Amino acid sequence: MDPLLLAAIVGIATTVVLFSGIPVGIGLLLVSLGFIIVFDGTGSLPLLPEILFGKLESFEVLAIPMFILMGAVVASSRAGGDLYSVLDRWLTRVPGGLVISNLGACAIFSALSGSSPATCAAIGKMGIPAMRERGFPDTVAAGSIAAGGTLGILIPPSVTMIVYGISTETSIGRLFLAGLLPGLMLTALFMAWSLYSTWRQGNAQGALSAVKYSWKEKFEILPRVLPFLVIIGAVLFALYGGVATPSETAGVGALFCLITAMIVYRMWKPGQLWHVMRDTTKESVMILLIIGAAGLFSYMLSSLFITQSIAQWISMLDVNRWVLMGFINLFLLISGFFLPPVAVILMSAPILLPVIINAGFDPYWFAVILTINMEIGLITPPVGLNLYVINGIAPDIRLQSILKGAFPYVLCMIAAIIILCFIPEIATWLPETVIGGR
């Protein structure tokens, strides 16, 4: 059978299986096993466990549960609420300051947790009721938090970037550096839109005069938040300064976050610690299962010459490289509508990376472009995980209102992609400056 025709059959079968509602990892395993047995017979089955667990042997994989543990500790404590309160108290005199506080809290919490749903849940529980009390429309209150939560997969340390690094065998430290400035740029775009939206809807004066805090109230909460900010700085310094590997850094960061939460927030009870470990284990196992299953899926594609044929077909297209990038962005955008970021990266990145490099694009710049596309998928239906997280926090806000409020931030993300295409140095300058040539 022609490999490209076989690729289409595999794509349709994978789509049908994943749309059935089955967990992504299990779905990839079933599709991989089915096509291997049909086309290669049962002779290769003894190799499959080795391939499956071989993807999980890398020491770098250890960074995933460690960063997830770091985020779970922060999400389970009152750190998110305190972080939100700090920004609210210091920015209360800024027009639209409450929305800016929410987005700033999302950005900082993202750096602590690396998880978009966790960021949405932690900041949304505090931010949405506060904004609604001060007269902000439901669309602004819910949409800003849903969009701000997406920063969790771009601002380092990012679990999504770790998965990209593992699947493409690229430097995780360089990926983190590549995502830092674009993450800050995207945060600035979100804030700029929020200021304009607040001013346009006439909410600036109401938000400005709603609450006044004394200097004592502004400073008294800082000691509870500063230790976590110090941990972020220490983790990034150790990672980018070459002091430790990403896995070592993640382990130390998770340990210090746990100790800090136990000291600052009195998280001594076994039930509290069990809750943290349970959430960490559930999310880690889910991601690791997808990584192992995606390794098997990649083996199936390679053994049937599907990967090589697709890469060759794309490379033979007589089109401008930016037209090619446009089609790749469209593919990633549509994929992100239906699949979680980890699944899209593990299935598509190994195929697309040779094409990207052959077209003259930087692989670390492309990682940022891919991640922003995945961010768009988090706040767009039909999956739109962040939309449902927000709806769970504030069930009286209609899903349509959340989507309406989040849509302008989708345009901000598209603008960020366009800016990065014109100025790729936003993503490439920091890695080249700190680490050097590739």
Side-chain angles (χ1 to χ4, degrees), residues 2 29 37 71 99 105 115 119 175 246 254 270 281 301 362-363 397 413 425:
D2 180 70
L29 282 176
I37 292 173
V99 186
S115 168
T119 301
L175 286 168
T281 302
L301 294 177
D362 184 273
I397 300 180
M413 294 179 195
E425 290 79 12

Side-chain angles (χ1 to χ4, degrees), residues 109-180:
F109 194 91
S110 296
L112 279 166
S113 70
S115 168
S116 289
T119 301
C120 268
I123 305 302
K125 289 175 183 177
M126 297 288 295
I128 292 177
M131 281 195 287
R132 297 177 78 183
E133 286 174 8
R134 299 191 195 179
F136 286 92
D138 288 349
T139 54
V140 174
S144 61
I145 299 290
T150 66
L151 298 168
I153 64 172
L154 180 59
I155 295 177
S158 163
V159 172
T160 304
M161 287 291 193
I162 296 173
V163 171
Y164 179 93
I166 292 171
S167 66
T168 59
E169 299 181 353
T170 48
S171 166
I172 293 174
R174 191 181 286 271
L175 286 168
F176 281 178
L177 283 169
L180 184 58

Side-chain angles (χ1 to χ4, degrees), residues 10-22 31:
V10 170
I12 293 172
T14 304
T15 302
V16 170
V17 170
L18 295 181
F19 275 20
S20 69
I22 193 171
V31 172

Side-chain angles (χ1 to χ4, degrees), residues 48 54 65 146 154 181 193 240 270 292 295 331 353 370 430:
L48 302 188
L154 180 59
L181 292 182
W193 165 254
Y240 302 148
F331 163 74
L353 191 65
L370 186 154
L430 197 57

Side-chain angles (χ1 to χ4, degrees), residues 347-366:
M347 288 191 294
S348 65
I351 297 175
L352 294 176
L353 191 65
V355 176
I356 291 298
I357 295 175
N358 188 56
F361 293 107
D362 184 273
Y364 299 95
W365 169 87
F366 176 66

Side-chain angles (χ1 to χ4, degrees), residues 38 70 87 187 200 233 239 248 250 300 327 334 337 351 378 408 424:
V38 170
M70 187 173 166
L87 292 174
T187 304
R200 187 186 63 178
L239 189 63
E248 294 166 344
M300 178 269 292
F327 282 116
I334 294 174
F337 288 165
I351 297 175
L378 288 171

